[in-house]
Amino acid sequence: MMRAIAVPIISGLLALSAAAQVKITSGAEKIAVEIHGQPYTTFYIAGKDVTKPYLHPLRAPSGTYVTRMWPMENVAEEAPIAKPDHPHQRGLWIAHDSVNKTDFWNNEASYQEGGSRGHIGNIVLKKVDGVKSGKDKGSIAATFEWTPRSAQKPLLTESRLMTFYDDAKARIIDFDVTFTALDEKVTFGDGKDGFFGVRMRPVLYEKKPDGVPKDVEYKTTGKLSNADGLVGEKELWSKPSNWCDYSGDVNGEKVGIAILDNPENPHHPVRWHARGYGLFAANPFGLAAFTNDKSLDGSITIEPGQKLRFRYRTIVHAGDVKEAAIAAAWEQYAKMK
């Protein structure tokens, strides 16, 4: 009888494993995401160098990665960059430079509080709420506490749900993030450095990395574009738009990543802190900072117990922005509830 029962159970587990095309594997400090048995990304949630959670690296369906490796890894392609910039820009992350005047964006572990840096905060894992693998999609749910280093008392909690989809032509992630203020009101201030950010692979920059010596050739192929037809940092930086895309060529393969702003997000369409040196961020709080008009204010305040919700979709795709049909992808996304 024991054997007769065990065989169907084992068969069922094998069938379930085979059906789980999006596989999520949880660990103490990181959570791995695989699609069809191939690595897609890893969610870093804790550890001595993790001052805010981040996804690294992000990959296209072919396996080609599109985000910068440094400072997490040293690779030959990035070796000519003698002085890499902004070590706090890791993979894909969510943070802001002014939350009750505390900087959660520029918060690398080596950065010290005080002086020109002011107050610095860490985004600390409270708990992993759930990890699910599945045939067509998988998900990670986690709660984080945004905590100033000086106070060691969180200002708010962040409840994040990330859903990863199995798609033959793209790698799609939906982000659903809700902030809850705790014991005091919390203000996301009008600042430039925020909020939903990606740091691109250097060959996908629009311009030669600043850290490459002048006498060293370093080819970059990237191009920024948005939903309103603006192209390049000079045209689209700080401008509001439904989506923005950063695409280029890696060893003859055209790849890119798009960030889509949900139409129900506060301050939609979002403004873009997108730079030729590979930074690519949707910032719903930068208004005075982007327009240089001090009479304007993009800040948002929530009272104790009050919630603030944001949703975004990222698409790591093959081809350029037109070949990947990002405009149509946003129209489809905008119809979702």
Side-chain angles (χ1 to χ4, degrees), residues 258-279:
I259 301 174
L260 283 55
D261 186 42
N262 192 286
E264 295 185 7
N265 280 345
H267 294 171
H268 173 81
V270 72
R271 292 178 182 268
W272 295 90
H273 184 23
R275 295 293 199 185
Y277 63 78
L279 172 64

Side-chain angles (χ1 to χ4, degrees), residues 301-330:
T301 298
I302 51 177
E303 298 292 332
Q306 188 177 358
K307 298 181 183 298
L308 180 63
R309 183 187 186 194
F310 291 93
R311 285 175 287 171
Y312 298 95
R313 170 171 284 186
T314 60
I315 304 174
V316 184
H317 57 81
D320 60 24
V321 63
K322 291 184 178 179
E323 291 167 334
I326 298 302
W330 186 84

Side-chain angles (χ1 to χ4, degrees), residues 52-71:
K52 54 181 175 284
Y54 61 92
L55 292 163
H56 159 79
L58 295 179
R59 295 178 175 91
S62 64
T64 298
Y65 67 90
V66 300
T67 48
R68 181 175 69 172
M69 287 295 184
W70 187 85

Side-chain angles (χ1 to χ4, degrees), residues 10-330:
I10 293 171
S11 299
L13 290 174
L14 290 173
L16 179 61
S17 177
Q21 304 296 348
V22 182
K23 183 180 178 182
I24 316 290
T25 305
S26 186
E29 296 184 347
K30 58 186 179 181
I31 302 172
V33 182
E34 295 181 0
I35 299 181
H36 289 280
Q38 299 299 315
Y40 170 51
T41 190
T42 298
F43 188 36
Y44 290 83
I45 53 177
K48 65 182 182 66
D49 294 325
V50 179
T51 56
K52 54 181 175 284
Y54 61 92
L55 292 163
H56 159 79
L58 295 179
R59 295 178 175 91
S62 64
T64 298
Y65 67 90
V66 300
T67 48
R68 181 175 69 172
M69 287 295 184
W70 187 85
M72 295 74 66
E73 302 177 45
N74 293 316
V75 296
E77 182 183 292
E78 298 177 19
I81 307 173
K83 296 181 180 179
D85 60 82
H86 301 94
H88 53 272
Q89 295 178 5
R90 297 179 170 221
L92 182 154
W93 69 97
I94 296 171
H96 191 52
D97 68 356
S98 179
V99 183
N100 282 14
K101 299 183 178 179
T102 298
D103 191 343
F104 291 89
W105 178 277
N106 303 282
N107 73 337
E108 192 70 4
S110 61
Y111 297 175
Q112 300 298 312
E113 270 209 322
S116 61
R117 292 203 179 276
H119 294 296
I120 298 175
N122 291 345
I123 302 173
V124 181
L125 177 69
K126 183 179 181 182
K127 61 177 178 175
V128 175
D129 300 294
V131 170
K132 296 180 181 179
S133 300
K135 182 178 179 180
D136 301 315
K137 61 184 179 180
S139 63
I140 300 171
T143 301
F144 300 91
E145 295 179 326
W146 290 44
T147 305
R149 290 182 186 175
S150 58
Q152 294 300 309
K153 180 182 178 182
L155 297 171
L156 55 81
T157 60
E158 172 199 337
S159 297
R160 185 189 305 194
L161 174 64
M162 299 183 295
T163 304
F164 304 82
Y165 296 95
D166 176 22
D167 188 284
K169 297 182 179 180
R171 292 289 178 257
I172 300 170
I173 314 173
D174 279 343
F175 296 79
D176 193 335
V177 180
T178 299
F179 298 99
T180 305
L182 297 176
D183 298 329
E184 58 184 293
K185 67 180 180 180
V186 174
T187 298
F188 290 82
D190 190 321
K192 173 175 65 67
D193 288 343
F195 156 73
F196 185 96
V198 173
R199 184 61 187 259
M200 301 297 292
R201 182 175 180 166
V203 297
L204 295 174
Y205 293 2
E206 274 197 346
K207 65 178 186 178
K208 179 180 177 180
D210 292 336
V212 176
K214 292 182 179 180
D215 60 344
V216 175
E217 182 179 357
Y218 196 95
K219 184 180 180 181
T220 60
T221 64
K223 185 63 66 177
L224 284 157
S225 56
N226 73 8
D228 304 290
L230 301 181
V231 177
E233 176 192 331
K234 291 183 178 179
E235 287 193 18
L236 64 77
W237 183 82
S238 82
K239 302 297 193 304
S241 195
N242 291 333
W243 54 263
C244 192
D245 183 89
Y246 217 136
S247 297
D249 184 288
V250 178
N251 299 323
E253 178 187 355
K254 290 194 290 185
V255 291
I257 179 170
I259 301 174
L260 283 55
D261 186 42
N262 192 286
E264 295 185 7
N265 280 345
H267 294 171
H268 173 81
V270 72
R271 292 178 182 268
W272 295 90
H273 184 23
R275 295 293 199 185
Y277 63 78
L279 172 64
F280 178 36
N283 184 347
F285 308 112
L287 185 53
F290 285 143
T291 63
N292 204 30
D293 185 344
K294 302 305 180 184
S295 68
L296 301 176
D297 185 8
S299 66
I300 297 178
T301 298
I302 51 177
E303 298 292 332
Q306 188 177 358
K307 298 181 183 298
L308 180 63
R309 183 187 186 194
F310 291 93
R311 285 175 287 171
Y312 298 95
R313 170 171 284 186
T314 60
I315 304 174
V316 184
H317 57 81
D320 60 24
V321 63
K322 291 184 178 179
E323 291 167 334
I326 298 302
W330 186 84

